Amino acid sequence: SASIDANTSTSTTVGGVDLEAHAGAEAHASAGTEVTATTAAAKAEAGVSVEAGASASYGGVTAEASASAEAHVEAGAQAGWDGRNAYAQVGAEAGASAEASTSVSSNVGGVTVENKTTASAEARAYVGADAQVGKDGVAGHAGAIAGASVGVDNTTSSYDKNGNGASAGAGVSVGAQ
Protein backbone atom coordinates (compact mmCIF):
# COMPACT_ATOMS: atom_id res chain seq x y z
CA SER A 1 0.00 0.00 0.00
CA ALA A 2 1.09 3.56 -0.62
CA SER A 3 -0.19 6.93 0.50
CA ILE A 4 0.73 10.55 -0.19
CA ASP A 5 -0.52 13.62 1.69
CA ALA A 6 0.18 17.26 0.92
CA ASN A 7 -1.16 20.30 2.77
CA THR A 8 -0.40 23.98 2.71
CA SER A 9 -1.81 27.10 4.32
CA THR A 10 -1.04 30.77 4.52
CA SER A 11 -2.40 33.83 6.24
CA THR A 12 -1.75 37.54 6.07
CA THR A 13 -3.34 40.89 6.81
CA VAL A 14 -3.85 43.45 4.07
CA GLY A 15 -5.38 46.85 4.83
CA GLY A 16 -6.88 45.57 8.08
CA VAL A 17 -8.45 42.51 6.41
CA ASP A 18 -7.29 39.15 7.77
CA LEU A 19 -6.89 36.65 4.90
CA GLU A 20 -6.37 32.89 5.21
CA ALA A 21 -6.13 30.17 2.59
CA HIS A 22 -5.47 26.45 2.77
CA ALA A 23 -5.36 23.47 0.45
CA GLY A 24 -4.72 19.77 0.77
CA ALA A 25 -4.59 16.61 -1.27
CA GLU A 26 -4.35 12.91 -0.46
CA ALA A 27 -3.91 9.85 -2.62
CA HIS A 28 -3.69 6.21 -1.63
CA ALA A 29 -3.56 2.81 -3.23
CA SER A 30 -3.30 -0.71 -1.89
CA ALA A 31 -3.48 -4.25 -3.14
CA GLY A 32 -3.33 -7.62 -1.47
CA THR A 33 -3.73 -11.31 -1.98
CA GLU A 34 -4.49 -14.24 0.27
CA VAL A 35 -4.03 -17.88 -0.63
CA THR A 36 -5.00 -20.83 1.58
CA ALA A 37 -5.32 -24.55 0.89
CA THR A 38 -8.88 -24.04 -0.41
CA THR A 39 -9.20 -20.36 -1.45
CA ALA A 40 -7.45 -17.61 -3.34
CA ALA A 41 -8.43 -13.96 -3.07
CA ALA A 42 -7.18 -10.61 -4.36
CA LYS A 43 -8.26 -7.06 -3.65
CA ALA A 44 -7.13 -3.64 -4.82
CA GLU A 45 -8.28 -0.14 -4.02
CA ALA A 46 -7.27 3.43 -4.79
CA GLY A 47 -8.55 6.86 -3.94
CA VAL A 48 -7.80 10.53 -4.15
CA SER A 49 -9.19 13.61 -2.42
CA VAL A 50 -8.56 17.34 -2.61
CA GLU A 51 -9.83 20.31 -0.63
CA ALA A 52 -9.27 24.04 -0.56
CA GLY A 53 -10.67 26.96 1.34
CA ALA A 54 -10.23 30.63 2.04
CA SER A 55 -11.54 33.20 4.46
CA ALA A 56 -11.48 36.96 4.92
CA SER A 57 -12.29 38.79 8.15
CA TYR A 58 -12.70 42.49 8.79
CA GLY A 59 -14.12 43.86 12.01
CA GLY A 60 -17.00 41.59 12.95
CA VAL A 61 -17.58 40.21 9.42
CA THR A 62 -16.11 36.92 8.17
CA ALA A 63 -16.59 35.42 4.71
CA GLU A 64 -15.50 31.86 3.95
CA ALA A 65 -15.51 29.60 0.91
CA SER A 66 -14.41 25.99 0.53
CA ALA A 67 -14.53 23.14 -1.93
CA SER A 68 -13.65 19.45 -1.79
CA ALA A 69 -13.77 16.43 -4.05
CA GLU A 70 -12.97 12.73 -3.76
CA ALA A 71 -12.90 9.70 -6.01
CA HIS A 72 -12.26 6.05 -5.28
CA VAL A 73 -12.32 2.63 -6.89
CA GLU A 74 -12.17 -0.86 -5.36
CA ALA A 75 -12.15 -4.31 -6.92
CA GLY A 76 -11.81 -7.83 -5.60
CA ALA A 77 -12.08 -11.46 -6.59
CA GLN A 78 -12.17 -14.75 -4.71
CA ALA A 79 -12.29 -18.38 -5.76
CA GLY A 80 -12.19 -21.58 -3.81
CA TRP A 81 -13.56 -24.91 -2.71
CA ASP A 82 -15.84 -25.25 0.34
CA GLY A 83 -15.78 -29.04 0.55
CA ARG A 84 -18.89 -29.44 -1.61
CA ASN A 85 -18.70 -26.79 -4.32
CA ALA A 86 -16.21 -24.78 -6.31
CA TYR A 87 -17.09 -21.09 -6.25
CA ALA A 88 -15.93 -17.76 -7.62
CA GLN A 89 -16.90 -14.19 -6.72
CA VAL A 90 -15.91 -10.89 -8.28
CA GLY A 91 -16.95 -7.30 -7.56
CA ALA A 92 -16.02 -3.70 -8.17
CA GLU A 93 -17.20 -0.36 -6.81
CA ALA A 94 -16.39 3.21 -7.85
CA GLY A 95 -17.55 6.57 -6.64
CA ALA A 96 -16.93 10.28 -6.68
CA SER A 97 -18.27 13.26 -4.78
CA ALA A 98 -17.81 17.02 -4.67
CA GLU A 99 -18.96 19.76 -2.32
CA ALA A 100 -18.67 23.55 -2.29
CA SER A 101 -19.81 25.93 0.42
CA THR A 102 -19.82 29.61 1.27
CA SER A 103 -20.66 31.38 4.48
CA VAL A 104 -20.83 34.93 5.75
CA SER A 105 -21.11 35.83 9.41
CA SER A 106 -21.38 39.17 11.16
CA ASN A 107 -21.16 40.01 14.83
CA VAL A 108 -23.01 43.17 15.75
CA GLY A 109 -23.67 44.18 19.36
CA GLY A 110 -23.03 40.70 20.73
CA VAL A 111 -25.35 39.00 18.21
CA THR A 112 -23.93 36.81 15.44
CA VAL A 113 -25.84 36.37 12.19
CA GLU A 114 -24.58 33.70 9.81
CA ASN A 115 -25.67 32.53 6.35
CA LYS A 116 -24.26 29.33 4.84
CA THR A 117 -24.92 27.72 1.45
CA THR A 118 -23.67 24.26 0.44
CA ALA A 119 -23.92 22.46 -2.89
CA SER A 120 -22.97 18.80 -3.33
CA ALA A 121 -22.94 16.06 -5.94
CA GLU A 122 -22.26 12.33 -5.67
CA ALA A 123 -22.11 9.33 -8.01
CA ARG A 124 -21.53 5.66 -7.22
CA ALA A 125 -21.56 2.39 -9.16
CA TYR A 126 -21.21 -1.27 -8.17
CA VAL A 127 -21.00 -4.44 -10.22
CA GLY A 128 -20.63 -8.01 -8.98
CA ALA A 129 -21.03 -11.64 -9.93
CA ASP A 130 -20.70 -15.05 -8.31
CA ALA A 131 -20.95 -18.63 -9.46
CA GLN A 132 -20.73 -22.09 -7.96
CA VAL A 133 -20.70 -25.63 -9.28
CA GLY A 134 -20.55 -28.90 -7.36
CA LYS A 135 -22.59 -31.25 -5.22
CA ASP A 136 -25.23 -28.55 -4.64
CA GLY A 137 -25.72 -27.95 -8.37
CA VAL A 138 -24.86 -25.04 -10.58
CA ALA A 139 -25.75 -21.44 -9.72
CA GLY A 140 -24.75 -17.99 -10.85
CA HIS A 141 -25.74 -14.43 -10.07
CA ALA A 142 -24.76 -11.04 -11.42
CA GLY A 143 -25.85 -7.52 -10.67
CA ALA A 144 -25.07 -3.86 -11.01
CA ILE A 145 -26.20 -0.70 -9.26
CA ALA A 146 -25.51 2.91 -10.23
CA GLY A 147 -26.71 6.10 -8.64
CA ALA A 148 -26.18 9.83 -8.58
CA SER A 149 -27.46 12.75 -6.52
CA VAL A 150 -27.12 16.52 -6.33
CA GLY A 151 -28.28 18.91 -3.68
CA VAL A 152 -28.11 22.43 -2.34
CA ASP A 153 -29.09 23.86 1.03
CA ASN A 154 -29.03 27.21 2.78
CA THR A 155 -29.18 28.02 6.48
CA THR A 156 -29.43 31.36 8.24
CA SER A 157 -28.77 31.55 11.97
CA SER A 158 -28.80 34.26 14.59
CA TYR A 159 -27.55 33.77 18.15
CA ASP A 160 -26.11 35.69 21.09
CA LYS A 161 -22.88 35.08 23.02
CA ASN A 162 -24.69 32.58 25.27
CA GLY A 163 -25.84 30.47 22.31
CA ASN A 164 -29.47 31.60 22.46
CA GLY A 165 -30.91 32.07 19.01
CA ALA A 166 -32.73 30.65 16.05
CA SER A 167 -31.96 29.02 12.74
CA ALA A 168 -33.93 28.61 9.51
CA GLY A 169 -32.93 26.50 6.55
CA ALA A 170 -34.10 25.11 3.27
CA GLY A 171 -32.65 22.60 0.85
CA VAL A 172 -33.38 20.51 -2.16
CA SER A 173 -31.80 17.33 -3.46
CA VAL A 174 -32.42 15.04 -6.41
CA GLY A 175 -31.15 11.52 -6.85
CA ALA A 176 -31.47 8.64 -9.27
CA GLN A 177 -30.56 4.97 -9.07
Side-chain angles (χ1 to χ4, degrees):
S1 89
S3 179
I4 297 173
D5 287 310
N7 294 291
T8 186
S9 65
T10 187
S11 62
T12 189
T13 301
V14 177
V17 178
D18 295 327
L19 303 170
E20 180 272 334
H22 63 275
E26 180 269 339
H28 66 275
S30 65
T33 60
E34 180 180 355
V35 178
T36 70
T38 59
T39 63
K43 183 176 180 178
E45 67 176 315
V48 62
S49 64
V50 294
E51 61 86 21
S55 68
S57 296
Y58 181 77
V61 178
T62 300
E64 299 177 317
S66 65
S68 63
E70 69 86 23
H72 66 276
V73 64
E74 182 178 323
Q78 179 175 331
W81 172 257
D82 66 8
R84 295 182 53 87
N85 302 292
Y87 66 90
Q89 300 169 325
V90 63
E93 190 262 341
S97 64
E99 181 176 286
S101 66
T102 62
S103 70
V104 176
S105 64
S106 178
N107 188 324
V108 179
V111 175
T112 299
V113 177
E114 180 178 46
N115 182 274
K116 182 174 183 175
T117 300
T118 302
S120 60
E122 179 178 15
R124 301 234 185 270
Y126 171 81
V127 62
D130 66 73
Q132 79 170 31
V133 61
K135 291 182 181 179
D136 294 328
V138 176
H141 305 92
I145 299 171
S149 65
V150 294
V152 63
D153 65 77
N154 179 271
T155 303
T156 300
S157 304
S158 179
Y159 50 92
D160 64 18
K161 64 183 177 184
N162 297 319
N164 301 313
S167 179
V172 63
S173 63
V174 177
Q177 183 172 337

